[in-house]
Amino acid sequence: GEDVEQSLFLSVREGDSSVINCTYTDSSSTYLYWYKQEPGAGLQLLTYIFSNMDMKQDQRLTVLLNKKDKHLSLRIADTQTGDSAIYFCAETSNSGYALNFGKGTSLLVTP
Amino acid sequence: NAGVTQTPKFQVLKTGQSMTLQCAQDMNHNSMYWYRQDPGMGLRLIYYSASEGTTDKGEVPNGYNVSRLNKREFSLRLESAAPSQTSVYFCASSEGRLETQYFGPGTRLLVL
């Protein structure tokens, strides 16, 4: 399948902003998602953006979408230690059913 | 609502043994999915069921079979487990095509 690319690690200090980046491949993707996975747990839907939007804000989370460059980012404002987790970017696939996931970005928030 | 539930949470198998992973959802979703998650590989789709009575192969279907028992339940069967099937298995469901997928807590499987 096509690859969704993410950087593997990010470390930030508590209170700073975190920006997690993702590039996707399918220009026909309808929705793009951010999921959060805490250690030993399943995937929790954080937010998603419809492909005809440029930005979506939801409390501390801001999603930016650049369709021309196929680039998606997730900004977490005022990052807390509880935000430490793996964050997955995902796009709807060509089949229109499954999601194509990136390999995940491990976010470490230090005091 | 429990959302998506999976059983068992953990399982250890010997090579060649068989087992069935169970998944159920109470959101009245039409579509259900099985993924596996391996370190450094993200999630890969094994099988999906677009609606009750249909199943289709995903990216990595070899060594697995599925059954969409009814609208609520979607099971994954390993007929003859292999060490390469050691993984964390996630079930997910969505209302339909292109709708948001909701995930279960996962089943951690170790094949010796």
Side-chain angles (χ1 to χ4, degrees):
Chain A
E2 303 287 346
D3 286 343
V4 175
E5 300 285 344
Q6 298 179 240
S7 53
L8 292 181
F9 299 103
L10 177 65
S11 180
V12 299
R13 288 190 181 276
E14 193 173 16
D16 288 349
S17 292
S18 308
V19 179
I20 302 172
N21 294 302
C22 168
T23 56
Y24 62 98
T25 56
D26 187 352
S27 58
S28 66
S29 288
T30 308
Y31 288 101
L32 294 137
Y33 298 88
W34 285 104
Y35 283 88
K36 176 183 180 183
Q37 184 180 34
E38 296 182 358
L43 274 74
Q44 171 195 352
L45 177 67
L46 268 185
T47 187
Y48 63 91
I49 188 166
F50 192 54
S51 59
N52 69 352
M53 298 169 64
D54 296 327
M55 184 181 87
K56 180 179 179 182
Q57 187 146 8
D58 183 1
Q59 298 182 331
R60 293 192 295 122
L61 305 179
T62 304
V63 179
L64 295 177
L65 176 59
N66 180 329
K67 283 195 73 173
K68 176 176 167 290
D69 294 336
K70 297 180 188 171
H71 183 266
L72 183 73
S73 68
L74 173 70
R75 178 177 182 270
I76 305 173
D78 187 26
T79 314
Q80 303 297 308
T81 54
D83 295 323
S84 292
I86 301 175
Y87 291 81
F88 290 94
C89 166
E91 62 172 351
T92 48
S93 76
N94 290 335
S95 73
Y97 282 102
L99 296 175
N100 282 336
F101 282 87
K103 291 181 171 56
T105 299
S106 291
L107 174 65
L108 176 65
V109 182
T110 58
Chain B
N1 286 352
V4 180
T5 57
Q6 292 182 237
T7 56
K9 286 189 168 54
F10 304 96
Q11 185 71 50
V12 179
L13 291 178
K14 294 182 179 177
T15 297
Q17 287 184 316
S18 63
M19 80 162 294
T20 300
L21 283 65
Q22 307 287 353
C23 173
Q25 51 91 10
D26 62 2
M27 296 176 281
N28 201 36
H29 284 170
N30 290 306
S31 303
M32 298 185 73
Y33 313 82
W34 277 106
Y35 292 88
R36 61 178 286 175
Q37 183 182 29
D38 302 294
M41 296 291 289
L43 277 80
R44 293 181 292 170
L45 183 70
I46 305 171
Y47 271 93
Y48 68 95
S49 171
S51 60
E52 186 178 356
T54 71
T55 60
D56 285 285
K57 293 178 180 179
E59 186 184 347
V60 288
N62 291 346
Y64 304 97
N65 285 303
V66 290
S67 295
R68 184 73 183 267
L69 304 167
N70 47 55
K71 193 171 186 181
R72 289 188 64 248
E73 298 172 289
F74 188 38
S75 63
L76 178 72
R77 182 157 178 84
L78 287 70
E79 289 291 349
S80 179
S84 61
Q85 294 177 305
T86 292
S87 188
V88 182
Y89 292 86
F90 288 102
C91 177
S93 71
S94 64
E95 196 170 316
R97 189 170 180 264
L98 302 181
E99 300 291 335
T100 301
Q101 293 185 19
Y102 295 89
F103 284 77
T107 293
R108 283 147 185 80
L109 177 66
L110 173 62
V111 183
L112 301 174

